[in-house]
């Protein structure tokens, strides 16, 4: 066997081994695997995550009726500290970080110099010069390049920090009975620290369900003991572990968007016409034009002034009860207007709802006579259905308990 043949064989082995490379396991995987009845896993940022654990429909109703526990450890997390941390993040993101108080969380987004959205996420201010940035995609090289001239330290802490989302009407009762005294005073988008097993857990009143809920972050070594603490306290409150399928239903009802699902990130887009500005994905309200210069500011404001925005993200209500995910949207049944990025039959509203990206002037000037083309399986054949759609406000579901402080005691 010559050197060339040996090299080729080595490359083939490397390719096979790459395919076989197992997905990483989150700090809570041991508990999730023990609860899993359907072995329905998917890959989230390289981690093995459950799409469902026992029954997607019942998992959804755990969110809306009792308490649901969802592993958010794969969410990408960056710790940003240093004397210039506030100034750096204010230069980076759309909202004014100077207005973000210690112990508060800010939903935000960030763009490239052309005003195209790179990602959206949550920014936690844990101290005067101590921030945690959580998002969908990895951005460390870009964050480091953007830090030139700023006195900041940036590091990824995704692996070392475990995260749980506790959502639903009895979520507060679970925390109360788990011994987190004073958590009832936590207002929406507030964050506070508690002692746990000789360490610290931070709890924020945030979530991705549009319901009463919290997110908890703890060092990896304390992850299982935190799970067990919540699970034990939650038994009397019908706590259930859930997968992404149920969470996705709830987030659509809440009108929340997901990167690379409802829009393509600027770094992930293969074609220029796939990129989106904040105003084109419903994030115009995040842009603070009065703060100092930030990435994409000129491009965003120029697009507004010159009226060159090309797309608009809308909520749709569709006749019938067949979900329209990925369906094409038409105007007057013949002019292609856009595409449904996410759609479900909403169990809470009893409506067929969707989030759609439309090409202007559809959705802005032309808002009537919209239709979606759905292909439904009927007796082993796909049947084409044209269903009328109307633009409706988001969120589709708005629950008073999400913001009530103190939360209802159940």
């Amino acid at each position: 066997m010559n050197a060339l043949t040996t090299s080729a064989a080595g490359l083939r082995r490397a390719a096979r081994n790459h395919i076989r490379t197992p997905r990483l396991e989150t700090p809570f995987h041991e508990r999730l695997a023990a609860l899993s009845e359907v072995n329905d896993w998917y890959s989230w940022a390289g981690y093995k995550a459950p799409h469902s654990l026992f029954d997607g429909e019942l998992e959804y109703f755990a969110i809306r009726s009792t308490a649901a526990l969802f592993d958010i450890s794969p969410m990408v997390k960056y710790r940003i500290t240093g004397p210039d941390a506030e100034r750096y993040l204010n230069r980076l993101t759309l909202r004014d970080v100077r207005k973000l108080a210690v112990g508060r969380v800010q939903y935000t987004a960030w763009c490239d110099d052309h005003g195209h959205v790179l990602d959206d996420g949550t920014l936690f201010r844990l101290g005067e010069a101590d921030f945690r940035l959580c998002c969908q995609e990895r951005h460390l090289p870009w964050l480091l390049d953007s830090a030139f001239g700023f006195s900041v330290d940036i590091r990824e802490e995704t692996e070392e920090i475990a995260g749980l989302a506790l959502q639903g009407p009895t979520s507060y009762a679970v925390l109360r009975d788990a011994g987190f005294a004073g958590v009832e005073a936590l207002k929406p988008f507030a964050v506070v620290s508690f002692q746990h097993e000789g360490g610290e857990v931070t709890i924020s009143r945030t979530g991705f369900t549009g319901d009463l809920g919290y997110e908890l972050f703890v060092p990896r070594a304390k992850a299982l003991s935190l799970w067990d603490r919540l699970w034990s306290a939650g038994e009397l409150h019908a706590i259930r572990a859930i997968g992404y399928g149920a969470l996705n239903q709830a987030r659509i009802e809440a009108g929340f968007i997901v990167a690379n699902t409802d829009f393509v990130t600027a770094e992930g887009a293969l074609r220029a016409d796939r990129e989106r500005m904040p105003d084109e994905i419903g994030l115009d309200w995040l842009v603070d034009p009065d703060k100092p210069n930030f990435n994409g500011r000129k491009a965003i404001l120029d697009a507004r002034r010159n009226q060159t925005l090309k797309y608009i993200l809308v909520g749709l209500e569709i006749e019938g009860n067949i979900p329209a995910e990925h369906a094409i949207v038409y105007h007057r049944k013949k002019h292609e207007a856009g595409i449904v990025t996410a759609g479900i039959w909403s169990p809470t509203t009893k409506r067929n709802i969707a989030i759609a990206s439309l090409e202007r002037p559809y959705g802005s000037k032309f808002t009537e006579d919209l239709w979606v083309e759905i292909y439904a399986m009927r007796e082993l054949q796909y049947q084409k259905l044209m269903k009328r759609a109307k633009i409706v406000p988001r969120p589709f579901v708005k629950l008073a308990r999400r913001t009530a402080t103190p939360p209802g005691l159940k």
Side-chain angles (χ1 to χ4, degrees):
M1 184 179 290
N2 59 36
L4 184 60
T5 305
T6 303
S7 176
L11 289 173
R12 286 195 297 271
R13 281 195 302 272
R16 287 196 300 270
N17 290 337
H18 173 72
I19 293 171
R20 292 195 191 111
T21 300
R23 288 167 291 185
L24 299 171
E25 294 181 352
T26 76
F28 301 108
H29 181 76
E30 181 181 333
R31 298 293 185 267
L32 292 169
L35 292 169
S36 177
E37 298 178 8
V38 294
N39 199 31
D40 184 10
W41 305 89
Y42 75 105
S43 183
W44 177 9
Y47 285 85
K48 190 175 183 179
H51 185 266
S52 176
L53 287 165
F54 59 99
D55 182 282
E57 185 175 345
L58 295 179
E59 290 171 40
Y60 163 83
F61 280 109
I63 299 172
R64 293 289 183 243
S65 304
T66 57
L69 201 56
F70 179 71
D71 183 3
I72 57 172
S73 300
M75 182 170 60
V76 181
K77 300 174 282 289
Y78 296 106
R79 198 63 170 263
I80 300 170
T81 58
D84 289 340
E86 179 190 272
R87 192 165 66 91
Y88 163 73
L89 287 164
N90 211 34
R91 175 68 171 79
L92 200 74
T93 63
L94 298 178
R95 300 183 73 175
D96 196 335
V97 180
R98 298 172 302 179
K99 298 177 182 177
L100 182 62
V102 174
R104 297 289 297 171
V105 186
Q106 192 179 70
Y107 172 60
T108 191
W110 46 102
C111 300
D112 61 18
D113 290 339
H114 303 290
H116 297 129
V117 178
L118 286 159
D119 210 345
D120 65 336
T122 45
L123 181 63
F124 295 69
R125 189 162 198 166
L126 305 176
E128 285 295 336
D130 185 3
F131 297 84
R132 174 178 289 144
L133 183 64
C134 299
C135 53
Q136 178 76 5
E137 304 295 323
R138 283 188 162 83
H139 301 283
L140 188 57
W142 183 79
L143 290 172
L144 292 172
D145 287 345
S146 301
F148 182 79
F150 293 94
S151 180
V152 291
D153 178 69
I154 304 166
R155 60 185 177 87
E156 183 174 342
E157 57 178 14
T158 305
E159 269 196 61
E160 61 193 76
I161 299 296
L164 285 172
L166 177 64
Q167 305 284 301
T170 67
S171 57
Y172 160 67
V174 173
L175 292 178
R176 177 198 62 200
D177 292 355
F180 294 107
V183 75
E184 68 275 2
L186 203 61
K187 296 180 179 179
F189 292 96
V191 58
V192 68
S193 296
F194 292 90
Q195 291 299 306
H196 172 71
E197 296 288 323
E200 189 175 79
V201 54
T202 59
I203 302 179
S204 60
R205 191 165 167 184
T206 52
F208 204 52
T209 63
D211 216 309
L212 173 64
Y214 304 84
E215 291 177 327
L216 299 86
F217 298 92
V218 69
R220 187 183 186 98
K222 306 293 183 182
L224 292 182
S225 62
L226 176 63
W227 178 286
D228 293 341
R229 181 176 177 178
L230 296 174
W231 199 258
S232 177
E235 286 182 339
L236 293 178
H237 304 289
I239 194 171
R240 295 288 184 270
I242 67 166
Y244 180 73
L247 183 82
N248 188 53
Q249 284 184 274
R251 75 91 183 172
I252 294 171
E253 290 182 331
F256 297 147
I257 60 174
V258 174
N260 290 319
T261 296
D262 299 295
F263 71 97
V264 179
T265 62
E267 286 188 332
L270 298 179
R271 290 171 45 174
D273 63 347
R274 299 294 190 262
E275 299 169 324
R276 297 291 186 268
M277 288 185 159
D279 297 39
E280 296 175 324
I281 55 174
L283 299 185
D284 49 301
W285 62 278
L286 294 180
V287 179
D288 189 341
D290 298 324
K291 75 170 191 172
N293 189 40
F294 55 90
N295 284 8
R297 181 182 188 275
K298 184 179 186 302
I300 293 168
L301 298 185
D302 283 351
R304 289 179 176 181
R305 183 176 58 255
N306 299 328
Q307 298 184 6
T308 56
L309 294 163
K310 297 179 181 178
Y311 301 93
I312 186 170
L313 202 73
V314 300
L316 294 179
E317 182 178 336
I318 301 165
E319 67 175 336
N321 60 2
I322 302 174
E325 188 169 33
H326 301 146
I328 296 175
V329 182
Y330 290 91
H331 181 241
R332 296 180 178 175
K333 292 189 178 182
K334 56 183 178 180
H335 300 292
E336 190 171 322
I339 190 168
V340 171
T341 60
I344 60 165
W345 168 259
S346 165
T348 296
T349 67
K350 304 297 187 290
R351 293 186 295 163
N352 195 10
I353 60 173
I355 298 172
S357 176
L358 305 184
E359 189 169 355
R360 296 173 190 255
Y362 304 113
S364 55
K365 182 179 179 182
F366 301 129
T367 59
E368 304 293 331
D369 208 2
L370 296 175
W371 299 77
V372 294
E373 181 183 62
I374 302 172
Y375 285 85
M377 178 68 79
R378 291 288 185 271
E379 297 181 349
L380 302 182
Q381 288 188 339
Y382 276 107
Q383 179 182 357
K384 176 182 170 181
L385 306 173
M386 294 297 290
K387 295 293 184 179
R388 189 178 292 276
K390 64 177 180 179
I391 295 176
V392 295
R394 291 182 292 143
F396 304 99
V397 170
K398 193 170 185 178
L399 302 170
R401 62 180 178 245
R402 183 192 180 202
T403 56
T405 307
L409 305 182
K410 292 191 176 183

